[in-house]
Amino acid sequence: QNMPKGNPEYVKDVCRRTCGVCTPITSSTPSYSPSHYDSHSHYDCSCKGDNLNVFKILHAGECICNNHKNGKKNKFGLALNGEIVHWVGGTLKWKKENEGDTNNFMSMHDDGSLEVHKQYLDTIEIIVLWKSPTAGDGGKMLKIHSDGKVVIKKKGGSAIWELEY
């Protein structure tokens, strides 16, 4: 059976939760087996805190998370295949197809924009796949709330953008 390869920090928890049977194989280059995950429709991700500050990165398979009022997880970030996902109360509410790839990463920039990038390993080229409309608005942190809302906030805490779909 094809199994995911990559950094065990972002693969092991997701792998055990989603399949219960696979054991990550470590390598220096993160990758994923489409036949394994796509056949199971996995859009899950492991939690890396409840916010994303400037200059921090979420890799494929990582999300910001917190507990919903129903006791299940709210999540926003990148699925194992690199697509943007939004879970509310344990239910997948939205996914953005964006040339999903395990080399995709999400980052909060000091200009206030949240971006998803794709890195081409053969050329070291990095392109922007998706960008929030908040450049120049003073955003400093991406946050997920207990009701599932995803917002970008200024340093003082006021919201300048909310995810809508």
Side-chain angles (χ1 to χ4, degrees):
Q1 179 181 8
N2 292 327
M3 293 188 198
K5 295 180 182 178
N7 183 340
E9 290 182 40
Y10 81 85
V11 175
K12 69 180 176 184
D13 293 333
V14 176
C15 187
R16 288 190 186 118
R17 263 196 330 272
T18 57
C19 316
V21 296
C22 51
T23 303
I25 300 169
T26 59
S27 73
S28 60
T29 305
S31 65
Y32 110 115
S33 168
S35 62
H36 178 78
Y37 284 104
D38 293 347
S39 65
H40 292 90
S41 298
H42 292 291
Y43 294 104
D44 202 3
C45 46
S46 61
C47 298
K48 298 296 177 187
D50 67 353
N51 64 61
L52 183 66
N53 292 314
V54 173
F55 302 122
K56 299 295 181 180
I57 292 176
L58 293 176
H59 298 279
E62 296 179 340
C63 289
I64 59 170
C65 307
N66 70 11
N67 289 321
H68 188 266
K69 53 191 168 193
N70 70 6
K72 296 185 179 179
K73 289 284 185 194
N74 296 318
K75 300 178 181 185
F76 180 78
L78 298 175
L80 284 169
N81 65 359
E83 292 181 359
I84 305 169
V85 293
H86 183 215
W87 294 78
V88 178
T91 301
L92 180 63
K93 294 291 188 178
W94 179 73
K95 67 180 179 77
K96 170 86 171 124
E97 295 180 6
N98 59 8
E99 298 182 36
D101 189 299
T102 57
N103 294 318
N104 289 359
F105 60 94
M106 179 181 287
S107 59
M108 187 73 209
H109 293 259
D110 63 349
D111 71 355
S113 64
L114 175 69
E115 297 182 6
V116 175
H117 300 267
K118 180 173 187 166
Q119 181 174 4
Y120 293 93
L121 296 179
D122 55 341
T123 63
I124 320 266
E125 179 185 8
I126 298 175
I127 62 166
V128 176
L129 298 174
W130 179 86
K131 185 175 183 175
S132 68
T134 54
D137 288 344
K140 298 298 178 195
M141 176 179 58
L142 176 71
K143 179 88 172 156
I144 189 163
H145 293 280
S146 62
D147 60 2
K149 288 183 181 176
V150 176
V151 297
I152 294 177
K153 294 185 171 194
K154 289 185 174 185
K155 186 175 183 179
S158 61
I160 61 167
W161 175 84
E162 181 178 329
L163 176 66
E164 295 180 357
Y165 43 87

